[in-house]
Amino acid sequence: MSKIFVDACLGKETPYTPVWMMRQAGRYLPEYMAVRAKAGDFLNLCHNPTMAAEVTLQPVDIVGVDAAIMFSDILVIPDEMGMDLSFVKGEGPKFSDPIKSQEDLDRLLGGKEAADRLTYVYETIKIVREQLADDKALIGFTGAPWTLATYMIEGQGTKTYNICKKMMYTNPELLHNILAKVTEIVKYYLESQIEAGVDVVQIFDSWAAAIEPSKYDEFSWKYMVEIADYIKAKYPHIPIIMFPKGVAAFVEQGLVYGNFDVFGVDWGTPMALAKEKLGEKYVLQGNMEPCRLYSKEATKACVSSLAETMKDGRHIFNLGHGILPDVPVENAKYFVKLCQELSRRD
Ligand code: 1CP
């Protein structure tokens, strides 16, 4: 059965513009919190395919999105490379032994060996695919090599990125070696996700904007292009969504090379500008400011304006970054319904 979400990602005509929400499987849903409480530690939830599948499916049933995104986290890759990940309550992710040298990097697993350890992700996908309606898509994902490297070098989330940027300017060879090693794993990881049953893959470059524009291609974009080339050569029918958050200033330069189908536009970039610069090459995804979900009026104004801007363009509705945990579920449902209604063409 054809999936409207996949068709839209590939730029085909669809009866309406499909919608999903970044971080849609998460803490704003009481049903998620119930499973999360049962799992205890956040990583236990990622490691348990039955529970991970259950929370993957919740937003489809509860808020009516057109695609599910597999429940996991971008940081399971460095964890399986051997980096000892933990989630500290109230503080976020932590790696006990961040990479400081080539020797540190050489100690970590790479390639297929590392990707093959992520069996619980592939198992989750198989369970979801059995339970998900045929007309709904399942999105797999990965962190971009650059975004993953920021955690692997800093050991945690950061506001300044000073440790990884120090490496960028004083020891670029080591940073490139880290990025190349992660890129190799990501290729196999996405391939295994596709073999397990995902219909679409998304690459999250959440910390793209930490890199100055003249260095972005060298330290991030070109690695994602390499990943996309690898996947497209094997699976030309699988759409690839690229989400490089906060690169509004780079759009002028035209990030127009690479085998991606969809460009995720963050909420700081005017959709009309993105359409002008990137709309010819890519289907555009996005880009409501997630905090608009606190107000139905603010949501409606934005969805109407996006539907108008994109009425003759190729588009997927989404938020311009992740949904926040205190958003009322009712407002999330309202957003989804409104997107589907206001973009109807039949
Ligand atoms: O206890 C909890 O519930 C912890 C919160 C949480 C959740 C729900 C974390 C910790 N990860 C996730 C799941 C998750 N992470 C998903 C699946 C859910 C969905 O999208 O529906 C996805 C796609 C991610 C991806 C992810 N993890 C990104 C990229 C997307 C983005 O928001 O920019 C990033 C940067 C992470 C790292 C991460 N994991 C968790 C936290 C709190 C963070 C961010 C830390 C930081 O700000 O540096």
Side-chain angles (χ1 to χ4, degrees):
M1 179 187 267
S2 112
K3 296 175 174 57
I4 170 172
F5 186 83
V6 174
D7 285 349
C9 286
L10 294 172
K12 296 182 188 162
E13 280 274 329
T14 51
Y16 65 90
T17 303
V19 53
W20 71 284
M21 286 182 294
M22 233 175 275
R23 298 282 194 144
Q24 66 189 14
R27 290 171 295 175
Y28 72 106
L29 288 175
E31 292 84 351
Y32 169 85
M33 293 310 288
V35 180
R36 174 83 170 71
K38 238 189 328 175
D41 187 61
F42 171 72
L43 269 180
N44 285 346
L45 180 49
C46 296
H47 292 162
N48 183 312
T50 314
M51 288 195 208
E54 187 180 349
V55 296
T56 300
L57 291 160
Q58 284 170 349
V60 176
D61 298 334
I62 299 166
V63 293
V65 283
D66 295 296
I69 178 160
M70 70 179 198
F71 191 84
S72 184
D73 194 79
I74 60 168
L75 298 176
V76 293
I77 291 181
D79 191 31
E80 294 302 345
M81 290 172 78
M83 281 200 70
D84 182 30
L85 170 67
S86 58
F87 282 88
V88 182
K89 211 172 163 18
E91 287 179 50
K94 285 244 180 340
F95 290 106
S96 58
D97 202 4
I99 302 175
K100 295 188 192 66
S101 64
Q102 185 65 44
E103 293 68 46
D104 290 345
L105 178 63
D106 291 343
R107 273 197 293 273
L108 301 176
L109 286 183
K112 203 164 176 322
E113 201 183 352
D116 283 351
R117 292 172 61 97
L118 290 144
T119 47
Y120 45 90
V121 174
Y122 316 135
E123 208 43 55
T124 300
I125 293 167
K126 286 182 193 153
I127 299 173
V128 173
R129 199 58 273 178
E130 274 168 24
Q131 295 179 15
L132 189 64
D134 279 348
D135 61 342
K136 302 276 185 183
L138 175 58
I139 305 169
F141 69 85
T142 179
W146 161 254
T147 288
L148 291 174
T150 64
Y151 292 97
M152 296 164 74
I153 297 164
E154 302 271 344
Q156 59 193 8
T158 166
K159 286 200 167 69
T160 54
Y161 304 88
N162 54 310
I163 308 174
C164 40
K165 289 210 230 175
K166 184 173 179 189
M167 192 184 285
M168 180 181 284
Y169 296 109
T170 62
N171 190 359
E173 194 186 337
L174 177 56
L175 181 51
H176 276 304
N177 290 346
I178 297 170
L179 294 167
K181 190 159 185 167
V182 173
T183 297
E184 212 50 31
I185 300 169
V186 165
K187 288 181 194 169
Y188 295 121
Y189 184 42
L190 291 182
E191 183 174 3
S192 301
Q193 290 182 27
I194 293 167
E195 290 293 334
V198 301
D199 305 292
V200 177
V201 292
Q202 168 149 337
I203 306 175
F204 285 98
D205 199 6
S206 299
W207 313 134
I211 306 179
E212 63 170 309
S214 67
K215 294 281 184 189
Y216 185 62
D217 182 59
E218 179 187 347
F219 288 100
S220 188
W221 190 263
K222 77 163 196 201
Y223 289 100
M224 301 191 291
V225 169
E226 191 182 322
I227 293 163
D229 283 346
Y230 178 85
I231 296 297
K232 276 290 173 187
K234 293 199 162 185
Y235 308 98
H237 60 290
I238 298 284
I240 304 177
I241 307 175
M242 156 58 41
F243 177 65
K245 183 177 178 289
V247 299
F250 307 25
V251 168
E252 281 297 333
Q253 260 177 242
L255 292 175
V256 285
Y257 83 101
N259 240 328
F260 313 112
D261 301 276
V262 183
F263 191 106
V265 183
D266 68 277
W267 60 266
T269 305
M271 192 52 110
L273 176 71
K275 186 182 170 198
E276 186 190 321
K277 302 288 177 191
L278 302 167
E280 286 276 310
K281 169 148 173 69
Y282 304 109
V283 174
L284 299 180
Q285 172 178 279
N287 73 339
M288 189 169 90
E289 154 44 301
C291 292
R292 280 189 180 254
L293 282 178
Y294 291 123
S295 151
K296 284 192 179 169
E297 290 70 33
T299 295
K300 187 166 187 184
C302 185
V303 173
S304 307
S305 149
L306 280 173
E308 179 58 28
T309 305
M310 295 309 294
K311 69 173 186 292
D312 59 347
R314 302 169 305 156
H315 184 216
I316 306 276
F317 278 109
N318 203 316
L319 307 175
H321 200 199
I323 188 169
L324 293 159
D326 58 345
V327 159
V329 179
E330 195 202 325
N331 293 15
K333 286 185 193 168
Y334 177 76
F335 168 71
V336 170
K337 209 156 151 271
L338 206 58
C339 291
Q340 291 162 340
E341 278 172 13
L342 289 182
S343 62
R344 275 227 164 258
R345 287 179 277 273
D346 50 2

